[in-house]
C-alpha cells in the first residue's frame, strides 16, 4: 500500500490563536509528509506487506523484517499518530462540548473531567524529550498513557481516543519552551465528536 498525506479538514490558520498557521503548515506538510515518504521507502519492494493497512503494520511490528522494523515503527507510527491527531482537532468556533455520556465515562474513570485533563496534562508534561500523551481504551477501561518518539498505543494493543503531540515541532514556534501553555491551549481545539466516535 502506498501511503499518502491525508488532507486537513480545516485551513491551517483555523486553529489560531491556539495552534498557529505556520506550525500547522510545517507540521502537516513537512513532518507528516516526511514520515509518509520514509514509510513508503521502507516498504518499497516488500510484497508481503503491500496490502497491509497502517493499523495492521503497527499491530504486527514483530513480523516486519528486522532491517525495516525501526523505520516502519518510527515512520508508520508518525503517519498513524498524526492522522489521528489532525482528525481530533477542530477550529475553536466549531468545537462542541463533550457529550454528557462521555463526561460520565471520564468521571467514572478519573473522578472528574478536570482530574482527567490534569492527569492528561501531567502525562504530556512528563514525557521526556519527544513523544505523545494519550487517552486510550485498554479493553473496556479508559486510561492515560504516554509514548516516546512515534510509538503508537495500537502497537501495545490499546485503542487511541485522543492524543497530543508533544514533540517540540508541534509547539515551539508559538510557545517556545512553554509546553504547559500549549497543552492548556489544546483543549480549545479538541473535536470531542471525533474522540467519542472512537469509543
Ligand atoms: Mn508531530
Amino acid at each position: 500500500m502506498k501511503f499518502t498525506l491525508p488532507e486537513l479538514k480545516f485551513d491551517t490558520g483555523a486553529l489560531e490563536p491556539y495552534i498557529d498557521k505556520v506550525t500547522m503548515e510545517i507540521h502537516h506538510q513537512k513532518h507528516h509528509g516526511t514520515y509518509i515518504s520514509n514509510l513508503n521507502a521502507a516498504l518499497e519492494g516488500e510484497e508481503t506487506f503491500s496490502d497491509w493497512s497502517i493499523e495492521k503494520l503497527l499491530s504486527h511490528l514483530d513480523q516486519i523484517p528486522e532491517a525495516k522494523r525501526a523505520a516502519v515503527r518510527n515512520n508508520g507510527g508518525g503517519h498513524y499518530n498524526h492522522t489521528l491527531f489532525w482528525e481530533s482537532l477542530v477550529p475553536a468556533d466549531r468545537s462542541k462540548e463533550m457529550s454528557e455520556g462521555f463526561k460520565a465515562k471520564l468521571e467514572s474513570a478519573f473522578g472528574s473531567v478536570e482530574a482527567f485533563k490534569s492527569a492528561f496534562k501531567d502525562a504530556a508534561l512528563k514525557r521526556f524529550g519527544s513523544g505523545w500523551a494519550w487517552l486510550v481504551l485498554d479493553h473496556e477501561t479508559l486510561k492515560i498513557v504516554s509514548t516516546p518518539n512515534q510509538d503508537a498505543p495500537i502497537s501495545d494493543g490499546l485503542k487511541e481516543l485522543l492524543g497530543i503531540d508533544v514533540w517540540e515541532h508541534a509547539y515551539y514556534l508559538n510557545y517556545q519552551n512553554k509546553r504547559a501553555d500549549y497543552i492548556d491551549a489544546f483543549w480549545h481545539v479538541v473535536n470531542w465528536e471525533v474522540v467519542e466516535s472512537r469509543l
Side-chain angles (χ1 to χ4, degrees):
M1 185 181 296
K2 267 275 190 194
F3 294 99
T4 55
L5 185 65
E7 297 266 344
L8 296 175
K9 297 203 173 75
F10 43 80
D11 292 336
T12 47
L15 303 180
E16 292 197 351
Y18 306 108
I19 303 178
D20 66 283
K21 181 179 172 70
V22 178
T23 294
M24 281 301 295
E25 283 172 357
I26 299 173
H27 199 176
H28 178 245
Q29 293 292 328
K30 308 287 183 189
H31 290 275
H32 191 173
T34 301
Y35 295 125
I36 290 169
S37 316
N38 290 342
L39 175 63
N40 286 333
L43 293 171
E44 183 84 53
E46 296 282 344
E47 289 304 317
T48 317
F49 310 109
S50 62
D51 63 345
W52 283 32
S53 65
I54 191 63
E55 290 83 3
K56 187 168 179 187
L57 286 165
L58 293 173
S59 310
H60 299 83
L61 286 171
D62 56 331
Q63 293 182 34
I64 313 289
E66 212 175 332
K68 301 287 179 78
R69 195 176 303 147
V72 171
R73 175 178 175 171
N74 291 332
N75 296 290
H79 173 38
Y80 180 74
N81 292 340
H82 285 86
T83 301
L84 286 171
F85 188 55
W86 310 135
E87 288 171 353
S88 312
L89 297 174
V90 68
D93 61 0
R94 277 166 36 201
S95 80
K96 298 201 178 78
E97 292 285 306
M98 64 179 75
S99 71
E100 289 303 317
F102 192 70
K103 206 177 278 184
K105 284 184 199 299
L106 290 177
E107 285 166 356
S108 152
F110 303 103
S112 67
V113 173
E114 282 317 304
F116 151 68
K117 286 186 175 175
S118 152
F120 186 91
K121 180 178 181 179
D122 195 52
L125 277 176
K126 285 188 178 151
R127 166 49 53 198
F128 185 76
S130 297
W132 294 75
W134 302 93
L135 172 67
V136 298
L137 205 53
D138 182 358
H139 298 94
E140 294 301 304
T141 308
L142 287 173
K143 286 185 181 166
I144 290 165
V145 299
S146 83
T147 54
N149 306 312
Q150 294 297 354
D151 287 359
I154 193 175
S155 299
D156 297 320
L158 303 170
K159 180 162 178 47
E160 303 86 357
L161 302 186
L162 175 66
I164 184 169
D165 187 344
V166 294
W167 284 57
E168 285 187 343
H169 68 226
Y171 62 88
Y172 208 85
L173 287 179
N174 198 30
Y175 295 95
Q176 294 82 47
N177 60 322
K178 298 185 285 283
R179 188 189 282 190
D181 291 356
Y182 157 69
I183 301 163
D184 291 339
F186 168 76
W187 298 116
H188 292 275
V189 291
V190 171
N191 191 333
W192 292 109
E193 282 181 310
V194 166
V195 173
E196 294 176 26
S197 75
R198 293 175 177 152
L199 265 177

